[in-house]
């Protein structure tokens, strides 16, 4: 009976929901901070749901992300500026995304590529581990607890939903071809509905955040990794999703607010593209470190810009990333002439690594953004890492069967997941007020002007502590004497 409960998918759903609520149980009173103030609290557009009727003014405010802001309008309509509703919605998005990670892995292990795989027999184990690693990881806190970053988490949910619908539809199509008897017409309608759901989810993702641009490439990567057959037939099912790749470029090019800066917001275009690109080699290594060892998390990293490839930090980071990418190619088995010699589990690990690089390509290549590093940008890429690590744990379990019946890797995974959950809860403590948030940043980025300025400003205006604010603002002035607001305060 106990074994049935442990392996029951419904018990896995309950477990994921419980872990999500435990990790974020202390976030429902977190106030609006940073960009929340302009995007939500002082944004009059979202304060009237009628603004989002067809042709309404809601679409004039950042049309490229109207669907994400529409969800803020729903929050305001039902609860005004009560922060608990916004945080509950964010947590629901996070839990649903974790459930989609679980579903996505189960579907992946049901593809023809895994027919003779041991991983297919342990589908629930790998899927559950991947979803738990994803939902519990402290690096996700910025995408969930920082209210406006719902744009990132919601986009990831729609991104993954589109992929799940697509894979489900492809599996239905495969079963239709292999079916000798039965209702072929009904199955074909199921396939069409699933592929339509994939397309619609993709479109909504594109209108939530620009990172959805990589979705068609992620679907293509999945086809290459786990499906077989004539590309002529596969192209028919792929073509609708591949066409969505045009949506984000068209939206960006048609945005009048970006016309003066060559397609980039003025505040983001100040960083030279080459410098931003060079710096991202080091940033990607930092992202990997955060996923492996989530310590010293920071909402405002003091990160230097690099302008030369030969700078040791850049060059060594490039070497490390090249080795990782090459390792993924090796694990994939694409180089093998005999597909039967390719390990399905190793290819799944390589898919997770490719996913990491692909989903970071919008924000970590040549498109300069004002801040070179933000933790919420890891939300979507971390799914690939979670899948790769979960698969590696399964392989470790299989290899260590003679050593305490293969339980050591599972026990270690359970300990890690518990530690990650506690780490997420602890990290959320920092977000309890703007003062506690900026005090944390000042400790970790003491040589950066912005944390001192923001801490001093909030002590002065929100906490009514001018005696404490003055020395902090003086430090801000000493770090940036040209910053007028610091002098004014």
């Amino acid at each position: 009976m106990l074994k049935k409960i442990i392996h029951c998918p419904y018990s896995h759903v309950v477990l994921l929901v419980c872990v999500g609520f435990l990790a974020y149980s202390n976030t429902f009173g977190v106030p609006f901070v940073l960009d929340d103030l302009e995007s939500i609290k002082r944004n009059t557009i979202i304060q009237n749901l009628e603004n989002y009727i067809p042709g309404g003014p809601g679409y004039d405010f950042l049309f490229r992300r109207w669907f994400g802001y529409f969800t803020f309008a729903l929050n305001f309509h039902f609860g005004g500026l009560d922060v608990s509703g916004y945080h509950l919605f964010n947590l629901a998005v996070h839990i649903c995304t974790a459930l989609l990670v679980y579903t996505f892995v189960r579907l992946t292990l049901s593809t023809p590529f895994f027919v003779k795989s041991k991983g297919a027999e342990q589908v629930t184990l790998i899927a559950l581990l991947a979803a738990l690693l994803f939902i519990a990881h402290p690096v996700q806190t910025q995408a969930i607890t920082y209210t406006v970053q719902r744009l990132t988490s919601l986009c990831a949910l729609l991104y993954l939903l589109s992929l799940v619908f697509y894979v489900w539809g492809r599996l239905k199509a495969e079963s239709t071809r292999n079916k000798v008897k039965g209702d072929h017409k009904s199955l074909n309608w199921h396939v069409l509905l699933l592929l339509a759901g994939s397309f619609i989810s993709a479109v909504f993702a594109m209108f939530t955040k620009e990172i959805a641009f990589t979705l068609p490439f992620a679907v293509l990567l999945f086809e290459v990794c786990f499906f077989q057959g004539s590309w002529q037939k596969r192209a028919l099912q792929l073509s609708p999703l591949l066409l969505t790749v045009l949506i984000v470029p068209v939206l960006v090019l048609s945005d009048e607010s970006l016309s003066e800066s060559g397609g980039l917001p003025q505040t983001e275009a100040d960083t030279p593209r080459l410098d931003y690109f060079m710096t991202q080699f080091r940033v990607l290594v930092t992202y990997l470190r955060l996923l492996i060892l989530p310590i010293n998390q920071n909402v405002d990293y003091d990160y230097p810009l690099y302008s030369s490839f030969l700078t040791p930090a850049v060059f060594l980071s490039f070497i490390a990333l090249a080795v990782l990418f090459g390792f993924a190619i090796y694990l994939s088995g694409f180089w093998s002439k005999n597909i039967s010699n390719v390990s399905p589990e190793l290819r799944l690990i390589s898919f997770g690594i490719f996913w990491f690089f692909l989903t970071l390509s919008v924000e970590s290549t040549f498109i300069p953004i004002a801040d070179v590093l933000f933790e919420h940008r890891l939300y979507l890429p971390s799914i690939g890492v979670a899948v790769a690590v979960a698969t590696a744990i399964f392989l470790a379990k299989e290899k260590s069967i003679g050593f305490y019946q293969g339980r050591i890797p599972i026990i270690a995974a359970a300990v890690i997941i518990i530690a990650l959950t506690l780490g997420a809860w602890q990290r959320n403590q920092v977000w309890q007020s703007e003062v506690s948030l900026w005090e944390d940043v000042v400790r970790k980025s003491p040589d950066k002007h912005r944390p001192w300025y923001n801490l001093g400003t909030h002590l002065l205006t929100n906490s009514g502590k001018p005696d404490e604010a003055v020395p902090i603002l003086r430090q801000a002035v000493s770090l940036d004497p040209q910053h007028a607001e610091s002098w004014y305060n």
Side-chain angles (χ1 to χ4, degrees):
M1 182 67 179
L2 180 61
K3 192 173 182 180
K4 285 184 178 180
I5 293 174
I6 291 172
H7 291 283
C8 176
Y10 295 111
S11 64
H12 296 167
V13 171
V14 173
L15 178 59
L16 286 167
V17 172
C18 289
V19 170
F21 268 97
L22 283 172
Y24 292 88
S25 59
N26 57 344
T27 63
F28 299 113
V30 170
F32 294 124
V33 297
L34 304 169
D35 291 348
D36 294 341
L37 303 177
E38 290 298 326
S39 296
I40 301 173
K41 192 172 183 179
R42 295 193 283 266
N43 185 358
T44 57
I45 292 292
I46 68 162
Q47 294 176 12
N48 187 348
L49 198 57
E50 292 183 1
N51 288 336
Y52 286 91
I53 62 174
Y59 303 94
D60 297 332
F61 179 80
L62 209 56
F63 179 64
R64 293 174 290 130
R65 300 181 178 184
W66 73 262
F67 186 69
Y69 280 92
F70 170 69
T71 65
F72 292 133
L74 286 174
N75 267 128
F76 188 89
H77 179 76
F78 290 107
L81 291 174
D82 179 8
V83 294
S84 60
Y86 294 82
H87 290 297
L88 186 61
F89 192 106
N90 280 19
L91 179 55
V93 167
H94 187 44
I95 291 172
C96 288
T97 306
L99 293 173
L100 283 173
V101 171
Y102 179 81
T103 306
F104 173 64
V105 175
R106 287 182 64 96
L107 287 172
T108 302
L109 292 170
S110 301
T111 57
F113 193 72
F114 284 89
V115 169
K116 298 179 181 179
S117 162
K118 290 183 179 180
E121 299 171 4
Q122 297 282 339
V123 59
T124 55
L125 172 63
I126 300 175
L128 180 61
L129 284 175
L132 284 171
L133 289 168
F134 171 78
I135 199 170
H137 205 292
V139 82
Q140 316 294 22
T141 52
Q142 192 174 113
I144 309 303
T145 312
Y146 183 7
T147 310
V148 79
Q149 291 310 328
R150 175 188 301 176
L151 298 175
T152 297
S153 57
L154 182 61
C155 180
L157 183 149
L158 294 165
Y159 191 111
L160 207 55
L161 182 63
S162 176
L163 192 52
V164 163
F165 276 140
Y166 178 81
V167 177
W168 192 0
R170 287 286 283 112
L171 289 173
K172 282 281 187 183
E174 291 286 331
S175 69
T176 303
R177 292 192 193 99
N178 298 330
K179 205 172 181 69
V180 178
K181 296 178 182 180
D183 188 357
H184 292 261
K185 191 173 182 181
S186 175
L187 279 172
N188 285 332
W189 272 110
H190 287 162
V191 172
L192 288 173
L193 285 173
L194 289 167
L195 293 179
S198 177
F199 177 80
I200 293 167
S201 300
V203 171
F204 278 114
M206 302 283 179
F207 280 98
T208 302
K209 198 168 184 182
E210 293 79 2
I211 55 174
F213 172 75
T214 62
L215 173 56
F217 302 103
V219 175
L220 186 60
L221 174 65
F222 192 94
E223 271 284 348
V224 171
C225 287
F226 304 118
F227 282 115
Q228 299 171 25
S230 165
W231 274 104
Q232 196 170 17
K233 292 180 180 178
R234 292 155 82 180
L236 289 173
Q237 293 160 322
L238 271 171
S239 53
L241 270 181
L242 291 179
L243 287 174
T244 64
V245 78
L246 300 172
I247 294 175
V248 170
V250 168
L251 289 173
V252 171
L253 291 173
S254 62
D255 192 333
E256 295 179 2
S257 66
L258 305 184
S259 59
E260 295 181 1
S261 56
L264 293 169
Q266 195 62 44
T267 57
E268 299 178 1
D270 293 339
T271 304
R273 294 194 181 198
L274 187 59
D275 290 4
Y276 186 86
F277 179 68
M278 293 297 173
T279 304
Q280 288 305 308
F281 289 123
R282 185 64 183 160
V283 168
L284 288 177
V285 171
T286 301
Y287 282 153
L288 288 169
R289 194 273 298 168
L290 281 167
L291 289 170
I292 297 167
L293 191 63
I295 58 174
N296 291 325
Q297 288 182 251
N298 194 346
V299 76
D300 194 3
Y301 286 84
D302 188 4
Y303 219 84
L305 274 175
Y306 297 99
S307 56
S308 172
F309 180 71
L310 297 178
T311 304
V314 176
F315 181 71
L316 293 175
S317 296
F318 171 79
I319 294 296
L321 295 170
V323 169
L324 179 62
F325 196 82
F327 183 60
I329 293 175
Y330 172 75
L331 293 180
S332 70
F334 289 140
W335 44 270
S336 177
K337 293 181 180 179
N338 188 353
I339 193 71
S340 62
N341 293 332
V342 178
S343 165
E345 289 83 13
L346 293 182
R347 178 165 288 189
L348 185 56
I349 293 175
S350 73
F351 174 81
I353 297 171
F354 290 139
W355 175 287
F356 172 80
F357 284 106
L358 175 64
T359 52
L360 273 169
S361 60
V362 171
E363 296 173 315
S364 290
T365 49
F366 286 103
I367 303 173
I369 306 175
D371 293 280
V372 296
L373 184 156
F374 259 134
E375 290 174 9
H376 66 258
R377 295 174 192 165
L378 268 176
Y379 192 78
L380 182 59
S382 68
I383 294 171
V385 176
V387 171
V389 171
T391 310
I393 292 170
F394 163 75
L395 290 177
K397 171 185 175 293
E398 291 297 300
K399 296 294 183 183
S400 61
I401 284 181
F403 183 58
Y404 197 54
Q405 298 181 334
R407 294 173 184 170
I408 295 296
I410 302 303
I411 293 170
V415 171
I416 290 170
I417 289 164
I418 291 170
L420 290 174
T421 305
L422 293 173
W425 188 91
Q426 184 63 40
R427 178 60 186 165
N428 283 324
Q429 288 290 91
V430 172
W431 290 85
Q432 298 304 309
S433 73
E434 288 189 284
V435 171
S436 63
L437 180 63
W438 289 111
E439 283 177 340
D440 179 73
V441 179
V442 161
R443 284 193 296 271
K444 295 169 181 174
S445 303
D447 297 325
K448 191 171 185 177
H449 159 264
R450 185 164 60 185
W452 291 97
Y453 166 71
N454 284 330
L455 176 58
T457 299
H458 292 302
L459 283 170
L460 183 68
T461 58
N462 296 343
S463 301
K465 298 179 179 178
D467 291 342
E468 294 182 30
V470 168
I472 291 170
L473 289 167
R474 281 179 178 159
Q475 178 65 14
V477 166
S478 68
L479 290 170
D480 185 2
Q482 303 303 315
H483 192 252
E485 288 85 351
S486 297
W487 284 103
Y488 178 83
N489 284 350

Coordinates of all heavy atoms in Angstrom, one line a residue, residues 199-252:
F199 N 0.2 26.0 -30.1 CA 0.4 27.3 -30.8 C -0.2 28.4 -30.0 O 0.5 29.5 -29.9 CB -0.3 27.2 -32.2 CG -0.3 28.4 -33.0 CD1 0.8 28.8 -33.7 CD2 -1.4 29.3 -33.0 CE1 0.9 29.9 -34.4 CE2 -1.4 30.5 -33.7 CZ -0.2 30.8 -34.4
I200 N -1.4 28.3 -29.4 CA -2.0 29.4 -28.7 C -1.2 29.7 -27.4 O -1.0 30.9 -27.1 CB -3.5 29.0 -28.3 CG1 -4.3 28.9 -29.5 CG2 -4.0 30.0 -27.3 CD1 -5.7 28.2 -29.3
S201 N -0.7 28.7 -26.7 CA 0.2 28.9 -25.6 C 1.4 29.6 -25.9 O 1.9 30.5 -25.2 CB 0.5 27.6 -24.9 OG -0.6 26.9 -24.5
A202 N 2.0 29.3 -27.1 CA 3.2 30.0 -27.6 C 3.0 31.4 -27.8 O 3.8 32.3 -27.5 CB 3.7 29.3 -28.8
V203 N 1.8 31.7 -28.4 CA 1.5 33.1 -28.8 C 1.3 33.9 -27.5 O 1.9 35.1 -27.3 CB 0.2 33.2 -29.6 CG1 -0.2 34.7 -29.7 CG2 0.4 32.6 -31.0
F204 N 0.6 33.4 -26.5 CA 0.5 34.1 -25.2 C 1.8 34.3 -24.5 O 2.1 35.3 -23.9 CB -0.5 33.4 -24.3 CG -1.9 33.7 -24.6 CD1 -2.8 32.7 -25.1 CD2 -2.5 34.9 -24.4 CE1 -4.1 32.9 -25.4 CE2 -3.8 35.2 -24.7 CZ -4.6 34.2 -25.2
A205 N 2.7 33.3 -24.6 CA 4.0 33.4 -24.0 C 4.8 34.6 -24.7 O 5.5 35.3 -24.0 CB 4.8 32.1 -24.2
M206 N 4.7 34.7 -26.0 CA 5.4 35.8 -26.7 C 4.9 37.1 -26.3 O 5.6 38.1 -26.3 CB 5.1 35.6 -28.2 CG 5.6 34.3 -28.8 SD 7.3 34.2 -29.1 CE 7.5 32.5 -29.8
F207 N 3.6 37.2 -25.9 CA 3.0 38.5 -25.4 C 3.2 38.7 -23.9 O 2.5 39.5 -23.3 CB 1.6 38.6 -25.9 CG 1.4 39.0 -27.3 CD1 1.2 38.1 -28.3 CD2 1.5 40.4 -27.6 CE1 1.0 38.5 -29.6 CE2 1.3 40.8 -29.0 CZ 1.1 39.8 -29.9
T208 N 4.0 37.8 -23.3 CA 4.3 38.0 -21.9 C 5.7 38.4 -21.6 O 5.9 39.4 -20.8 CB 4.0 36.6 -21.1 OG1 2.7 36.2 -21.4 CG2 4.3 36.8 -19.6
K209 N 6.6 37.8 -22.3 CA 8.0 38.3 -22.2 C 8.8 37.8 -23.4 O 8.5 36.7 -23.9 CB 8.7 37.8 -20.9 CG 9.9 38.6 -20.5 CD 10.4 38.3 -19.1 CE 11.6 39.2 -18.8 NZ 12.2 39.0 -17.5
E210 N 9.8 38.6 -23.8 CA 10.6 38.3 -25.0 C 11.4 37.0 -25.0 O 11.8 36.5 -26.0 CB 11.5 39.5 -25.4 CG 10.7 40.8 -25.7 CD 10.2 41.5 -24.5 OE1 10.4 41.1 -23.4 OE2 9.5 42.6 -24.7
I211 N 11.6 36.5 -23.8 CA 12.4 35.2 -23.7 C 11.7 34.1 -24.4 O 12.3 33.1 -24.8 CB 12.7 34.8 -22.3 CG1 11.4 34.7 -21.4 CG2 13.7 35.8 -21.6 CD1 11.6 34.2 -20.0
A212 N 10.4 34.2 -24.7 CA 9.6 33.2 -25.4 C 10.1 33.0 -26.9 O 9.7 32.1 -27.5 CB 8.1 33.5 -25.4
F213 N 10.9 34.0 -27.3 CA 11.5 33.9 -28.7 C 12.1 32.6 -29.0 O 12.1 32.0 -30.1 CB 12.5 35.0 -28.9 CG 13.2 35.0 -30.2 CD1 12.6 35.3 -31.4 CD2 14.5 34.6 -30.2 CE1 13.3 35.2 -32.6 CE2 15.3 34.5 -31.4 CZ 14.6 34.8 -32.6
T214 N 12.7 32.0 -27.9 CA 13.5 30.7 -28.1 C 12.6 29.5 -28.2 O 13.1 28.4 -28.4 CB 14.5 30.5 -27.0 OG1 13.8 30.4 -25.7 CG2 15.5 31.7 -26.9
L215 N 11.3 29.6 -27.9 CA 10.4 28.4 -27.8 C 10.4 27.6 -29.1 O 10.6 26.4 -29.0 CB 9.0 28.9 -27.5 CG 7.9 27.8 -27.5 CD1 8.2 26.7 -26.6 CD2 6.5 28.4 -27.1
P216 N 10.3 28.2 -30.3 CA 10.3 27.3 -31.5 C 11.6 26.5 -31.6 O 11.6 25.4 -32.1 CB 10.1 28.3 -32.6 CG 9.5 29.5 -32.0 CD 10.0 29.6 -30.6
F217 N 12.7 27.1 -31.2 CA 14.0 26.4 -31.3 C 14.1 25.3 -30.2 O 14.7 24.2 -30.5 CB 15.1 27.4 -31.1 CG 15.1 28.5 -32.0 CD1 14.7 29.8 -31.7 CD2 15.6 28.3 -33.4 CE1 14.7 30.8 -32.6 CE2 15.6 29.3 -34.3 CZ 15.1 30.6 -33.9
A218 N 13.4 25.5 -29.1 CA 13.4 24.4 -28.0 C 12.5 23.3 -28.6 O 12.9 22.1 -28.3 CB 12.7 25.0 -26.8
V219 N 11.4 23.5 -29.3 CA 10.6 22.5 -29.8 C 11.4 21.7 -30.9 O 11.4 20.5 -31.0 CB 9.3 23.0 -30.4 CG1 8.5 21.9 -31.1 CG2 8.5 23.6 -29.3
L220 N 12.1 22.5 -31.7 CA 13.0 21.8 -32.8 C 14.1 21.0 -32.1 O 14.3 19.9 -32.6 CB 13.6 22.9 -33.6 CG 14.4 22.5 -34.9 CD1 13.5 21.7 -35.8 CD2 15.0 23.7 -35.6
L221 N 14.7 21.5 -31.1 CA 15.7 20.7 -30.3 C 15.1 19.4 -29.8 O 15.7 18.3 -29.9 CB 16.3 21.5 -29.2 CG 17.2 20.8 -28.2 CD1 18.5 20.4 -29.0 CD2 17.6 21.7 -27.0
F222 N 13.9 19.5 -29.3 CA 13.2 18.3 -28.7 C 13.0 17.3 -29.9 O 13.2 16.1 -29.7 CB 11.9 18.6 -28.1 CG 11.3 17.5 -27.3 CD1 11.5 17.4 -25.9 CD2 10.5 16.6 -27.9 CE1 11.0 16.4 -25.2 CE2 9.9 15.5 -27.2 CZ 10.2 15.4 -25.8
E223 N 12.5 17.7 -31.0 CA 12.3 16.9 -32.2 C 13.6 16.1 -32.6 O 13.6 14.9 -32.8 CB 11.8 17.7 -33.4 CG 10.3 17.8 -33.4 CD 9.6 16.6 -33.9 OE1 10.3 15.7 -34.4 OE2 8.4 16.5 -33.8
V224 N 14.7 16.9 -32.6 CA 16.0 16.3 -33.0 C 16.4 15.2 -32.0 O 16.9 14.2 -32.4 CB 17.0 17.4 -33.1 CG1 18.4 16.8 -33.3 CG2 16.7 18.3 -34.3
C225 N 16.2 15.5 -30.7 CA 16.7 14.6 -29.7 C 15.8 13.4 -29.5 O 16.4 12.3 -29.2 CB 16.7 15.4 -28.3 SG 18.1 16.6 -28.2
F226 N 14.5 13.5 -29.6 CA 13.7 12.4 -29.1 C 12.7 11.8 -30.1 O 12.0 10.8 -29.8 CB 13.0 12.8 -27.8 CG 13.9 13.3 -26.7 CD1 13.8 14.6 -26.3 CD2 14.8 12.5 -26.2 CE1 14.7 15.1 -25.3 CE2 15.7 12.9 -25.2 CZ 15.6 14.2 -24.8
F227 N 12.5 12.4 -31.2 CA 11.6 11.8 -32.2 C 12.4 11.5 -33.5 O 13.5 12.0 -33.7 CB 10.5 12.8 -32.6 CG 9.4 12.9 -31.6 CD1 9.2 14.1 -30.9 CD2 8.6 11.8 -31.3 CE1 8.2 14.2 -29.9 CE2 7.6 11.9 -30.4 CZ 7.4 13.1 -29.7
Q228 N 11.8 10.5 -34.3 CA 12.5 10.1 -35.5 C 11.5 10.1 -36.6 O 10.3 10.4 -36.4 CB 13.0 8.7 -35.3 CG 14.1 8.6 -34.2 CD 14.5 7.1 -33.9 OE1 14.3 6.3 -34.8 NE2 15.0 6.9 -32.7
G229 N 11.9 9.9 -37.8 CA 11.0 9.9 -39.0 C 11.4 10.9 -40.0 O 12.3 11.6 -39.9
S230 N 10.6 10.9 -41.0 CA 10.8 11.8 -42.2 C 10.6 13.3 -41.7 O 9.6 13.6 -41.2 CB 9.8 11.5 -43.3 OG 9.8 12.5 -44.2
W231 N 11.6 14.1 -42.1 CA 11.4 15.5 -41.7 C 10.3 16.2 -42.5 O 9.8 17.2 -42.1 CB 12.8 16.3 -41.9 CG 13.7 16.1 -40.7 CD1 14.8 15.3 -40.6 CD2 13.5 16.8 -39.5 NE1 15.3 15.5 -39.3 CE2 14.6 16.4 -38.6 CE3 12.6 17.8 -39.0 CZ2 14.7 16.9 -37.3 CZ3 12.7 18.2 -37.7 CH2 13.8 17.8 -36.9
Q232 N 10.0 15.7 -43.7 CA 8.9 16.2 -44.5 C 7.6 16.1 -43.7 O 6.8 17.1 -43.7 CB 8.8 15.5 -45.8 CG 8.0 16.2 -46.8 CD 8.2 15.6 -48.2 OE1 8.6 14.4 -48.3 NE2 7.8 16.3 -49.2
K233 N 7.4 15.0 -43.0 CA 6.1 14.8 -42.3 C 6.2 15.6 -41.0 O 5.2 16.2 -40.5 CB 5.9 13.4 -42.0 CG 5.6 12.5 -43.2 CD 5.4 11.1 -42.9 CE 5.0 10.3 -44.1 NZ 4.9 8.8 -43.8
R234 N 7.4 15.6 -40.3 CA 7.5 16.3 -39.1 C 7.3 17.8 -39.2 O 6.9 18.5 -38.3 CB 8.9 16.0 -38.4 CG 9.0 14.5 -38.0 CD 10.4 14.0 -38.0 NE 11.1 14.4 -36.8 CZ 12.3 14.1 -36.5 NH1 13.0 13.4 -37.4 NH2 12.9 14.4 -35.4
A235 N 7.8 18.3 -40.4 CA 7.7 19.8 -40.6 C 6.2 20.3 -40.6 O 6.0 21.4 -40.2 CB 8.3 20.1 -42.0
L236 N 5.3 19.4 -41.0 CA 3.9 19.8 -41.0 C 3.4 20.1 -39.6 O 2.6 21.1 -39.4 CB 3.0 18.7 -41.6 CG 3.1 18.5 -43.2 CD1 2.4 17.3 -43.6 CD2 2.7 19.7 -43.9
Q237 N 3.8 19.3 -38.7 CA 3.4 19.6 -37.3 C 4.3 20.7 -36.6 O 3.8 21.4 -35.7 CB 3.6 18.3 -36.5 CG 2.6 17.2 -37.0 CD 3.0 15.8 -36.6 OE1 4.2 15.4 -36.6 NE2 2.0 15.0 -36.2
L238 N 5.5 20.8 -37.1 CA 6.4 21.9 -36.5 C 6.1 23.3 -37.1 O 6.3 24.3 -36.3 CB 7.8 21.5 -36.9 CG 8.6 20.7 -35.9 CD1 9.9 20.3 -36.5 CD2 8.9 21.4 -34.6
S239 N 5.6 23.4 -38.3 CA 5.5 24.7 -39.0 C 4.7 25.7 -38.2 O 5.2 26.9 -38.2 CB 5.0 24.5 -40.4 OG 3.7 23.8 -40.4
P240 N 3.5 25.4 -37.6 CA 2.8 26.5 -36.9 C 3.7 27.1 -35.8 O 3.7 28.3 -35.6 CB 1.6 25.8 -36.4 CG 1.4 24.6 -37.3 CD 2.7 24.2 -37.6
L241 N 4.3 26.3 -35.0 CA 5.2 26.8 -33.9 C 6.4 27.5 -34.4 O 6.8 28.5 -33.9 CB 5.6 25.6 -33.0 CG 4.7 25.3 -31.8 CD1 5.3 24.2 -31.0 CD2 4.5 26.5 -30.9
L242 N 7.0 27.0 -35.5 CA 8.1 27.7 -36.1 C 7.8 29.1 -36.6 O 8.6 30.0 -36.5 CB 8.7 26.9 -37.2 CG 9.4 25.5 -36.8 CD1 9.9 24.8 -38.0 CD2 10.5 25.8 -35.8
L243 N 6.6 29.3 -37.0 CA 6.2 30.6 -37.5 C 6.1 31.6 -36.4 O 6.2 32.8 -36.6 CB 4.8 30.5 -38.2 CG 4.8 29.8 -39.6 CD1 3.4 29.7 -40.1 CD2 5.7 30.7 -40.6
T244 N 5.9 31.2 -35.2 CA 5.8 32.1 -34.0 C 7.1 32.8 -33.7 O 7.1 33.8 -33.0 CB 5.3 31.4 -32.7 OG1 6.2 30.4 -32.3 CG2 3.9 30.7 -33.0
V245 N 8.2 32.3 -34.3 CA 9.5 32.9 -34.1 C 9.5 34.4 -34.6 O 10.3 35.2 -34.2 CB 10.6 32.1 -34.8 CG1 10.6 32.3 -36.3 CG2 11.9 32.4 -34.2
L246 N 8.5 34.7 -35.5 CA 8.5 36.1 -36.0 C 7.8 37.1 -35.1 O 8.0 38.3 -35.2 CB 7.7 36.1 -37.4 CG 8.3 35.2 -38.5 CD1 7.3 35.1 -39.7 CD2 9.6 35.7 -39.0
I247 N 7.1 36.6 -34.1 CA 6.3 37.5 -33.3 C 7.1 38.5 -32.5 O 6.9 39.7 -32.6 CB 5.4 36.7 -32.3 CG1 4.3 35.9 -33.1 CG2 4.7 37.6 -31.3 CD1 3.5 34.9 -32.3
V248 N 8.1 38.0 -31.8 CA 8.9 38.9 -30.9 C 9.7 39.9 -31.7 O 9.6 41.1 -31.4 CB 9.8 38.1 -30.0 CG1 10.8 39.0 -29.3 CG2 9.0 37.3 -28.9
P249 N 10.4 39.5 -32.8 CA 11.1 40.5 -33.6 C 10.1 41.6 -34.2 O 10.5 42.8 -34.2 CB 11.7 39.7 -34.7 CG 11.9 38.3 -34.2 CD 10.7 38.1 -33.3
V250 N 8.9 41.2 -34.6 CA 8.0 42.1 -35.2 C 7.5 43.1 -34.1 O 7.4 44.3 -34.3 CB 6.8 41.4 -35.8 CG1 5.7 42.4 -36.1 CG2 7.2 40.7 -37.1
L251 N 7.2 42.6 -32.9 CA 6.8 43.4 -31.8 C 7.9 44.4 -31.4 O 7.6 45.6 -31.1 CB 6.4 42.6 -30.6 CG 5.2 41.7 -30.7 CD1 5.0 40.8 -29.5 CD2 3.9 42.6 -30.8
V252 N 9.1 44.0 -31.3 CA 10.2 44.9 -30.9 C 10.4 45.9 -32.0 O 10.6 47.1 -31.7 CB 11.5 44.0 -30.7 CG1 12.7 45.0 -30.5 CG2 11.4 43.1 -29.5

